[in-house]
């Protein structure tokens, strides 16, 4: 073999190895991008931080429970963090008339919502609001927003809420607490800079504002198309609050409401633990 042919062959082999190396370098990131989740996908953006300031009161009423009447199909649950623990802080809102979310079983009956002022020990005080409405729905997540004719929640005032479903002889109830706080200036400034639901929910969550965190993620799921990242954050938020029972259920769209009624269940509803 001549020197010229040998040199040509060496050059051809070297070129082949060079192309193979370049292909490997290009293909490696592509393969990782297909099979490795991104850092953003791995990290949660909405992380609820319960209020920890010294002025925040904690749940101390043994009877307060967010769930009742559990069956194989569904429970009656208030979408709030676990209120059984004595150290659980009162869930906060910045709304004058907040929005509540409840998981309800399939029902054709009456619902009652009541709101009471509460003292520092969360003992039930004066009733400040009551309404009732007809429910005829399959099991799912019910949205209840306090209407414009309801009283405004006072800042830094604790309240006890009760939600009852059933009739005059057979009813189930859930109850919990809520505290309205005024947003600090940093939160106000940051909310002006963001518009995406995940960004807003993340701000509310890190400031310990539970009700607006839930509302922001819930409203972001309206419509035919649900963004996977919204559903993922919603799922993880509920899991972090031990609300796993709620996960299989969708939001109800056709709840029927009627004017306020004068009759309420006279039989004390049976309460359940977890």
């Amino acid at each position: 073999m001549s020197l010229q042919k040998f040199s040509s062959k060496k050059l051809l082999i070297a070129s082949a190895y060079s192309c193979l190396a370049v292909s490997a370098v290009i293909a490696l990131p592509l393969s990782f991008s297909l099979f490795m989740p991104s850092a953003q996908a791995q990290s949660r953006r909405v992380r609820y931080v319960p209020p920890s300031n010294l002025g925040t009161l904690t749940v101390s009423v043994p009877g307060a429970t967010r769930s009742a009447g559990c069956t194989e199909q569904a429970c009656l649950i208030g979408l709030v963090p676990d209120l059984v623990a004595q150290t659980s802080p009162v869930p906060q809102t910045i709304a004058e008339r907040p929005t509540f979310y409840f998981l309800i079983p399939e029902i054709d009956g009456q619902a009652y919502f009541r709101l009471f002022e509460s003292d520092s020990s969360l003992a039930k005080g004066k009733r400040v609001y009551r309404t009732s409405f007809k429910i005829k729905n399959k099991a799912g997540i019910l949205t209840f927003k306090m209407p414009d004719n309801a009283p405004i929640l006072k800042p830094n005032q604790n309240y006890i809420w009760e939600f009852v479903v059933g009739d005059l002889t057979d009813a189930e109830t859930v109850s919990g607490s809520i505290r309205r706080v005024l947003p600090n200036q940093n939160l106000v400034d940051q909310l002006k800079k963001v518009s995406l639901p995940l960004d807003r929910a993340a701000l509310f969550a890190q400031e310990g504002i539970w009700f607006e965190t839930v509302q922001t993620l819930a409203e972001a799921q309206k419509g035919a198309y649900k963004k996977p990242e919204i559903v993922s954050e919603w799922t993880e938020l509920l899991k972090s609050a031990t609300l796993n029972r709620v996960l299989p259920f969708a939001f109800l769209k056709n709840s029927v409401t009627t004017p306020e009624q004068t009759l309420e269940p006279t039989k004390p509803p049976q309460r359940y633990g977890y």
Side-chain angles (χ1 to χ4, degrees):
M1 180 182 294
S2 66
L3 181 60
Q4 183 177 2
K5 290 182 179 180
F6 181 75
S7 299
S8 299
K9 189 173 183 180
K10 287 180 61 179
L11 181 62
L12 182 61
I13 294 174
S15 298
Y17 274 108
S18 177
C19 291
L20 182 61
V22 171
S23 299
V25 171
I26 295 175
L28 187 59
L30 290 176
S31 63
F32 273 97
S33 66
L34 290 174
F35 299 107
M36 295 292 290
S38 65
Q40 184 177 4
Q42 289 177 314
S43 62
R44 286 175 51 199
R45 295 172 60 184
V46 181
R47 293 181 178 272
Y48 173 64
V49 180
S52 59
N53 56 300
L54 295 178
T56 301
L57 302 174
T58 57
V59 171
S60 59
V61 181
T65 172
R66 64 171 183 182
S67 66
C70 291
T71 67
E72 292 182 1
Q73 288 73 36
C75 293
L76 175 61
I77 296 179
L79 268 63
V80 291
D82 191 337
L83 298 181
V84 172
Q86 297 296 311
T87 57
S88 297
V90 175
Q92 297 184 150
T93 180
I94 61 173
E96 294 180 342
R97 298 179 179 91
T99 300
F100 296 80
Y101 293 86
F102 302 96
L103 173 64
I104 63 172
E106 184 172 357
I107 186 172
D108 182 0
Q110 199 77 8
Y112 306 86
F113 180 86
R114 298 187 287 252
L115 189 70
F116 302 84
E117 287 187 351
S118 176
D119 59 17
S120 59
S121 64
L122 291 185
K124 188 190 300 182
K126 179 181 68 175
R127 188 178 71 188
V128 295
Y129 179 67
R130 182 206 68 170
T131 190
S132 65
F133 47 90
K134 181 75 175 177
I135 296 183
K136 186 177 182 180
N137 280 110
K138 294 183 178 180
I141 302 172
L142 175 74
T143 304
F144 172 74
K145 183 184 186 307
M146 291 184 63
D148 293 340
N149 64 352
I152 293 175
L153 270 61
K154 302 174 184 177
N156 302 317
Q157 169 72 55
N158 287 331
Y159 294 88
I160 296 294
W161 54 262
E162 293 180 347
F163 185 64
V164 184
V165 295
D167 54 37
L168 294 176
T169 60
D170 184 19
E172 301 291 351
T173 186
V174 289
S175 61
S177 56
I178 184 172
R179 178 183 179 92
R180 181 189 167 205
V181 296
L182 299 178
N184 59 50
Q185 190 58 48
N186 178 63
L187 177 59
V188 173
D189 293 338
Q190 292 299 315
L191 287 172
K192 292 178 180 178
K193 299 177 183 178
V194 300
S195 58
L196 296 177
L198 278 184
D199 294 333
R200 295 180 65 82
L203 289 174
F204 287 129
Q206 70 185 20
E207 292 292 333
I209 311 297
W210 171 261
F211 282 87
E212 278 65 40
T213 302
V214 172
Q215 183 181 0
T216 302
L217 291 179
E219 291 182 350
Q221 297 181 70
K222 292 180 179 178
Y225 177 70
K226 296 181 180 180
K227 293 184 178 180
E229 60 268 28
I230 297 289
V231 177
S232 175
E233 293 289 351
W234 172 258
T235 298
E236 294 305 319
L237 178 68
L238 295 187
K239 286 181 178 179
S240 72
T242 62
L243 288 165
N244 304 60
R245 282 183 176 268
V246 181
L247 292 175
F249 298 92
F251 293 91
L252 298 175
K253 298 179 181 180
N254 299 316
S255 297
V256 179
T257 62
T258 60
E260 184 172 334
Q261 304 295 309
T262 56
L263 295 177
E264 295 186 41
T266 56
K267 178 183 176 181
Q270 184 178 3
R271 297 190 175 188
Y272 297 81
Y274 292 101

